Structures are given as structure tokens and as C-alpha cells.
Amino acid sequence: MRAVVVLSGGQDSALCLALAVKKYGPREVAAITFAYGQRHSIETKYARRLARHFGIAAHKVVRLDFYKDITSNALMDPSLRIKRGRKCPNTVVEGRNAFFLMAAAVWAKSLGATDLYTGVSQADYSGYPDCRAVFIRAQERAIRLALDYPVRIVTPFMRKTKAEEWALAAKLGIFDLIANETVTCYNGIPGKGCGKCPACKLRNRGLRDFVRA
């Protein structure tokens, strides 16, 4: 096994999966999906579909039920209205990528994989602190020390906008797959989504920019 992809079922992670499969072939790629009480839990269903579509060697869905016991946010509490804060939306799940990447790395080590793909981006994002390059580099070092294993965190979209991601999807011949068979919407609506939540606005603005380019 060469690579493990953190696969949420959304646009970014689906493209990461496509890139890993293109580079290594489907039998050298595995994916891991996390169910942590997110209101758009339907994304795990779409993650399974994507794993089957690409014919990868393994796909695991891991439950992180403890998350609701240590933090509260609009992404995990459907009674809260999603809204923009001073720095980022109230959908931020504190430390989420730190947990995800460490857990994914533990599995990657058990498989003998060293490349760990994640779709985070600081070029076109909602202000989440664990999507920054400085965090990824720090987390990579922490994981290497914790596991004594040469994990490499691969972030293909760290410096790319959503419009550039749409262009990549078209280049890879999977534009329709990304447009229709992924879930980015915080309200769990596939494809174009609700059009109102921060994730939908970012995704759809990128699509408009790509179409106009």
C-alpha cells in the first residue's frame, strides 16, 4: 500500500482520492472516513460510493463518538443556526484535522503506506485554523515523532482555489462525478447543496469562477 486518503465524501477529498489513484493505481490506495456526529453524515454514504467508484484496495469508516462530549459547534448540533463568526463560521470543529490525521496515520502505518492525502486548503477556505500549511507541517512532524514512521502529509490543494479544483476535475475527466456525487453542503444536500451554508457558497462561487474563466 502506498497511500491513505482522508475521504469525507466532499469535493476536496474526492479529488484527492482521484489524484492518489492516478499516481499509484487503485490497488495501492486506501481511504478512511470519519463519522463524528456531523449533521451532514450522509457524506459517509457518498464516501463509500466514491471508494467503490475508484475501486481502491480498502475503505474504512471510523466512528469518533466522543467528539460531542468535548466540544459544541453548529456542524454537530443541528439545533444551532449556521452563521459566520468574526474569524470563521460556527461550524468549526476544534482540532478535527489533528484527530483525523493522527488516526489516519496510525492506519497507514499498519498498511505500510507513507503518503497521507488530505484536501485542506488555506488559499480558499473558511478560516479554519487546522487547514493552514503551518499546522500541516507541525502535525506531520508530530506524527512522525509519535509513530517513529516517515509519514508524508500530501495537500494538493493547499495553494489552490475552488475554481482551480473544478478545472482539475475537468482535466481528470471526473467533472460530473465531483459535481453530482459529492457532499460539501453542511446541511447534507448532495451536489449543488443548499446554496446558503458557507461550504456551498465557497463551492458554488468556485464553480462560477471556473465557468467564467
Side-chain angles (χ1 to χ4, degrees):
M1 198 72 65
R2 302 290 296 279
V4 169
V5 179
V6 178
L7 180 65
S8 69
Q11 175 186 10
D12 306 326
S13 67
L15 279 168
C16 279
L17 182 60
L19 289 174
V21 168
K22 180 178 174 62
K23 182 173 183 178
Y24 295 122
R27 304 319 299 169
E28 294 294 330
V29 176
I32 187 167
T33 301
F34 296 99
Y36 54 96
Q38 62 270 47
R39 69 162 76 194
H40 58 319
S41 60
I42 190 175
E43 67 178 358
T44 60
K45 174 183 176 181
Y46 279 77
R48 290 189 177 95
R49 288 185 182 181
L50 289 164
R52 288 195 298 269
H53 174 86
F54 286 101
I56 59 176
H59 178 224
K60 185 184 292 290
V61 178
V62 176
R63 300 193 64 84
L64 300 179
D65 293 329
F66 68 86
Y67 233 124
K68 65 180 181 300
D69 296 326
I70 61 174
T71 189
S72 177
N73 52 76
L75 200 62
M76 295 164 57
D77 185 349
S79 70
L80 297 177
R81 183 174 63 86
I82 295 173
K83 59 183 180 180
R84 181 82 193 181
R86 286 189 299 174
K87 292 185 178 180
C88 58
N90 64 345
T91 50
V92 63
V93 181
E94 300 288 358
R96 177 176 58 177
N97 286 327
F99 280 110
F100 287 5
L101 290 168
M102 179 59 82
V106 170
W107 190 43
K109 182 178 180 180
S110 76
L111 297 174
T114 55
D115 281 5
L116 188 57
Y117 280 72
T118 179
V120 299
S121 170
Q122 71 174 31
D124 195 4
Y125 78 133
S126 298
Y128 296 168
D130 59 355
C131 288
R132 296 174 296 172
V134 64
F135 161 74
I136 293 297
R137 298 286 72 83
Q139 184 71 352
E140 181 181 78
R141 177 169 171 74
I143 289 172
R144 288 179 175 182
L145 290 170
L147 302 184
D148 191 22
Y149 188 70
V151 165
R152 183 172 74 103
I153 301 178
V154 183
T155 56
F157 310 124
M158 182 58 73
R159 311 289 181 188
K160 293 189 180 297
T161 65
K162 282 292 187 290
E164 290 173 314
E165 287 187 39
W166 283 111
L168 176 62
K171 182 178 179 180
L172 294 174
I174 56 171
F175 183 90
D176 288 344
L177 177 74
I178 299 301
N180 301 312
E181 295 297 324
T182 60
V183 180
T184 300
C185 176
Y186 290 154
N187 289 308
I189 302 173
K192 293 181 179 180
C194 69
K196 298 178 181 179
C197 72
C200 283
K201 289 179 179 178
L202 185 61
R203 171 180 166 132
N204 293 336
R205 183 171 68 244
L207 179 57
R208 290 193 299 270
D209 290 344
F210 164 69
V211 171
R212 286 198 293 260

